[in-house]
Structures are given as C-alpha cells and as structure tokens.
Amino acid sequence: MIINQLIIPLLVVIIIGFGLLKGHDIYNLFIEGCKDGINIAIKIIPPYFAMIFAINIFNGSGIINCIINQLAFLPKSIRLVIPMALIRPISGTASLAVLNQILSYYGPDSLVGNIASTIQGCTDTTFYVLALYFSSVRIKKTRYALAVGLLADLAGVITAIIVVYLFLN
Amino acid sequence: MVNILWSLLIIIGIVYSFVSGQITNINDYILKIGSSTLELLMITIPLLIMWMGLLNIADKTGLLAMLSKKIRIILKPLFPKIKNNKALDYIASNVIANMFGLGSAATPFGLKAMEELQKENNNKEIASSSMITFLVLNTSGVTIIPTTVISLRMMYGSINPSQIIITSLIATIIASTIGLLIDYVIRRINNDN
C-alpha cells in the first residue's frame, strides 16, 4: 500500500527533476500543457455528460436488482456474478456497488466474493472508454470496436470464473 | 453502436422504472444530473489538466520517449500502420499508467494517443484500425494491482485481500490476448494491415 502512495509523488519529482537537469523552461512547459488539457477537457465534457446521464437513469431504475432476483434458479455463485459481468463494461461505479453487495453478503473470501473481485479487477468500463475516446476526436463510426471490446470482456469473465474455481476454491 | 447502446440504457431505465413504480426515483436522477456530473467533473478535469501539464514537460524534455522506448518495441508489431512515433509513445505511456492503476494519468495519455492516431486517419469520421487495436488493448487493460478491489476486500475483513491479484492478472492477460487476436483476425479479413 505504501508503494502505491509513492508512485505519483515520485513520478512528479522525476518529471520535474529531469526537466530541470536538462535546462528546460519547465514552468512554461507546464502552463502550455495545462492549456492543452483545458482544450481536451472542453471536448470531453459533452460525452462525459451524456454518459453520466444514461448511466444514472439505468442505475436508478433498480433494474440490476430485478435481474438478480429473476435468476433465482441458478447457483448463487453464478447468479450474482452475471449482473456484475453485465454492468462492468457500462459503469465502474455500478459494478463496484454490486461487488460491495456481494462482499458484504457472502464475505470477501467466499467463492462468489473471489470471482466478483477478480472480474472487477480484470476488465474495464469498455462502453464508457470507447464513448469518451472516440468522441474526443469526433469519430462517428466506430466499426467493430465495441464488439471486440465486449468479446474481450466476456473472455475475461469466463477466465475469472475458471481460474478462481481452480485456484481459490 | 454507441448510439444504440446509449439510447437503450435510457429507454430501458425509464420504462423499467415506470413498470416497477419507481418513477419518482428517475425523476430525481434526471433533475440531479447537473450536480452529479459537475461533482465528477470537478474531480476529473483538474486532474486531467495537471497531468497534461506534467505530460507536456515529460514530452518536450525527451523523458517520455526515453521511458516508452522499450515498450514501443513490443507495441510496434501490434500497430503495423502507425508511422508516427509520438502516437506509440502515448500508447505506451497509457498502457504503463493503466498497469499501475493510475487511471487519472492514463486518460490524458490515451486522449493524446487518439489525437495522434486521428492525424494519420484517412476518414476523420470513421475509426481507423489502429484506433480500434489501441482501444481493445486499453479496455481489456492489464492492471497489475487492482487497488480499489483490494481495499474493498480489506474493508470486509478478508483474510487474504490480495489473493485476487494473481487470478485478476491471469484473467486480464487472457482477455487482452483474445481481444487482440480477434482484432488481428478482423484486420486480416478486411485486408487492413
């Protein structure tokens, strides 16, 4: 945990120290970069807004809990993991909320707990990243990007279940 | 595709809340969209601006090129079409930042990479194959230490909170490999190397 907290401060020192040693005008380089950052920020605020709008409505409807209840016939280790896998590519916060539920119900060291933790750790919010990155450069046609991204996520989920069954059961 | 998914999320959400009688919830969520977006932006945008400042220093002083040189060699075969080394530098930095769980630093690198890739893109409205490969690599993201998950597990009193590091690593590597393989096959079929 301590190492984690050291990475960012160290990185800042290295970047600034390296620039100083090389004799660059780092203050103005920083300002220049910040200006660029503001331009990027202006470009990504609208897609950000759109994303949060849709995700808030989806989460707020309580449909995730409904899906969990509908799957009562499945073994509980899979029943809770499915909604988690479904929601993971869409929203990091929502899948963390499901993970929270799972960990508090079944405990972090249970089979379900381990599977859900692994899924959260091994994939990213594909849908969200694609929307953000593509709209930052005004791409309208994303071709097969989403399909491949989601297939990779599916592979991650299946592997997570198998690996946890094999090693942490 | 994003178009359809975006609309589906909203329509499913609203229709379901009608059916289940939770329309007041949704009403609140819609009205609160402004403040909840602003809250998120207040956290992410200043961080983005700060990283862009530091990134510019690292870039202009040659530090970025130096650090990403090794990873660039591994990445090069994945992106046969990229001529511009700068794009590869940003992609490499994005991958490294993701590996260490530095999400806030990874995003500006990724956005800069997209900017560079867009310069080489023939049709500015259609995603290039290099962009798609980059995003597949990015979203199946190799994370070495999933810090958020570990701290959640600690909170719930796990005996071994970090035992999921190995399983996550295996799952993430397989996800990335399969994603990149599918991407490669599609590029071959499209004759788009």
Side-chain angles (χ1 to χ4, degrees):
Chain A
M1 285 291 118
I2 292 168
I3 296 170
N4 272 324
Q5 284 159 4
L6 274 176
I7 293 177
I8 292 182
L10 268 179
L11 208 61
V12 175
V13 171
I14 291 171
I15 292 173
I16 292 180
F18 187 85
L20 270 181
L21 283 176
K22 287 231 158 180
H24 282 274
D25 181 6
I26 49 172
Y27 175 75
N28 276 316
L29 284 178
F30 187 78
I31 302 284
E32 204 180 275
C34 291
K35 273 188 204 156
D36 203 11
I38 291 171
N39 287 331
I40 290 189
I42 290 172
K43 269 194 272 178
I44 64 170
I45 287 174
Y48 227 98
F49 194 91
M51 228 52 280
I52 294 167
F53 179 56
I55 289 165
N56 269 2
I57 291 178
F58 189 77
N59 283 345
S61 70
I63 195 159
I64 302 165
N65 280 326
C66 168
I67 296 172
I68 297 178
N69 295 335
Q70 294 308 310
L71 298 171
F73 59 92
L74 288 170
K76 79 177 178 195
S77 56
I78 295 177
R79 184 174 58 204
L80 278 167
V81 166
I82 287 177
M84 164 118 194
L86 286 178
I87 204 77
R88 181 75 186 103
I90 298 168
S91 159
T93 343
S95 67
L96 263 182
V98 180
L99 178 64
N100 234 311
Q101 261 185 43
I102 294 174
L103 294 185
S104 68
Y105 272 23
Y106 300 99
D109 298 313
S110 64
L111 185 65
V112 204
N114 281 326
I115 293 176
S117 307
T118 303
I119 292 177
Q120 178 79 26
C122 81
T123 54
D124 204 340
T125 46
T126 303
F127 177 48
Y128 171 81
V129 171
L130 289 190
L132 189 68
Y133 279 33
F134 277 134
S135 49
S136 79
V137 287
R138 308 225 148 83
I139 293 281
K140 297 218 172 76
K141 292 218 159 59
T142 61
R143 295 162 73 201
Y144 52 90
L146 189 64
V148 180
L150 291 178
L151 278 175
D153 286 344
L154 182 67
V157 170
I158 294 171
T159 317
I161 295 174
I162 296 171
V163 172
V164 172
Y165 259 107
L166 289 178
F167 297 116
L168 301 176
N169 198 352
Chain B
M1 201 123 171
V2 173
N3 187 24
I4 294 168
L5 246 172
W6 188 77
S7 331
L8 271 181
L9 280 179
I10 295 175
I11 292 169
I12 292 174
I14 292 184
V15 169
Y16 180 74
S17 62
F18 257 120
V19 175
S20 64
Q22 296 180 64
I23 201 70
T24 9
N25 269 354
I26 292 298
N27 182 44
D28 287 351
Y29 274 107
I30 294 176
L31 292 176
K32 273 197 293 198
I33 170 82
S35 60
S36 51
T37 313
L38 197 64
E39 263 169 47
L40 247 166
L41 289 177
M42 292 283 268
I43 301 168
T44 47
I45 299 294
L47 265 176
L48 178 90
I49 295 173
M50 179 206 73
W51 280 116
M52 288 297 293
L54 289 170
L55 176 65
N56 194 44
I57 299 178
D59 189 7
K60 300 281 157 64
T61 56
L63 182 66
L64 195 67
M66 215 174 83
L67 289 178
S68 53
K69 210 171 170 181
K70 291 232 166 65
I71 301 204
R72 220 160 60 191
I73 299 165
I74 307 170
L75 288 175
K76 189 90 195 167
L78 289 176
F79 299 94
K81 267 185 148 179
I82 298 183
K83 291 172 207 94
N84 165 352
N85 266 341
K86 205 143 223 180
L88 277 179
D89 280 345
Y90 289 130
I91 293 173
S93 314
N94 174 271
V95 172
I96 301 172
N98 266 332
M99 269 185 187
F100 288 102
L102 300 175
S104 66
T107 312
F109 289 137
L111 294 172
K112 288 296 267 185
M114 289 301 282
E115 234 174 53
E116 293 296 327
L117 292 176
Q118 180 70 318
K119 284 182 194 163
E120 291 187 349
N121 191 5
N122 297 327
N123 189 329
K124 303 291 178 209
E125 290 202 339
I126 300 175
S128 69
S129 54
S130 309
M131 286 178 178
I132 298 177
T133 309
F134 167 52
L135 287 175
V136 170
L137 190 65
N138 181 307
T139 57
S140 56
V142 176
T143 311
I144 298 176
I145 306 163
T147 40
T148 324
V149 178
I150 294 175
S151 51
L152 251 188
R153 291 168 61 84
M154 279 166 77
M155 203 178 90
Y156 285 108
S158 168
I159 306 163
N160 189 354
S162 51
Q163 69 177 356
I164 50 100
I165 291 180
I166 301 290
T167 53
S168 303
L169 199 60
I170 297 172
T172 205
I173 288 171
I174 292 190
S176 302
T177 313
I178 290 184
L180 290 173
L181 267 176
I182 298 173
D183 177 63
Y184 178 78
V185 171
I186 294 175
R187 273 191 337 210
R188 285 302 289 265
I189 293 171
N190 291 345
N191 243 331
D192 201 1
N193 268 317

